[in-house]
Amino acid sequence: KQWYQRRVRGNTSILAGLRSSLALAIVGIFVTGSIFVFGIFSTVDTENPMIHGRDNDNYCNFWVYWAAFVFLTVNYVFLTLGVLVAITFCLALVIRSYTVRKGGERAPL
C-alpha cells in the first residue's frame, strides 16, 4: 500500500535516486566551475587569442569569462546571505525558547 501511494504521488525510489544523483552532479559542476574560474583569475587573457602566430593557452572570451565570474560571485553572495538568515532564525528560536516560562507565558526580554 505504501509503495502504491508513493507511486501515485510520483515519489518512487528510482525518481528519488535520479534527483539525488542530479543534485550531486550539479553541486560537483558548481564546485569545479568555481575552482576553474577563480583559479585562472590572475592568468586569464581576454584580449589576445593568438600570441606569435600560435594559440594562446590562457585565452578565454571576455564575455564568457566575466559572465561566469559574476554568476558565481552572485551565487556565493546569496548562499552566504541564506546561511546568515538561517543562523539568525535558529538563534531567534533558541532565544525565544529560553524566554518562555513554565506555564507557557512568555517572559519579558
Side-chain angles (χ1 to χ4, degrees):
K1 182 171 175 138
Q2 182 183 12
W3 177 83
Y4 180 73
Q5 289 173 348
R6 284 192 335 206
R7 178 146 171 91
V8 169
R9 288 183 296 185
N11 294 334
T12 62
S13 300
I14 294 172
L15 288 177
L18 288 174
R19 276 189 227 126
S20 298
S21 299
L22 182 62
L24 187 61
I26 290 171
V27 168
I29 290 169
F30 183 76
V31 169
T32 304
S34 298
I35 292 169
F36 176 75
V37 169
F38 294 125
I40 66 168
F41 180 75
S42 61
T43 61
V44 70
D45 183 4
T46 58
E47 297 176 6
N48 303 315
M50 301 286 276
I51 292 181
H52 306 297
R54 295 183 332 164
D55 288 340
N56 183 358
D57 292 336
N58 293 329
Y59 175 75
C60 185
N61 182 286
F62 175 83
W63 292 108
V64 172
Y65 179 76
W66 285 105
F69 187 87
V70 169
F71 174 77
L72 289 170
T73 303
V74 167
N75 274 306
Y76 278 116
V77 167
F78 282 123
L79 181 65
T80 303
L81 288 175
V83 168
L84 290 176
V85 167
I87 289 171
T88 303
F89 182 73
C90 290
L91 286 175
L93 288 176
V94 168
I95 291 170
R96 186 171 186 272
S97 69
Y98 279 111
T99 60
V100 175
R101 292 186 182 158
K102 287 185 181 179
E105 304 168 3
R106 287 195 344 183
L109 294 174

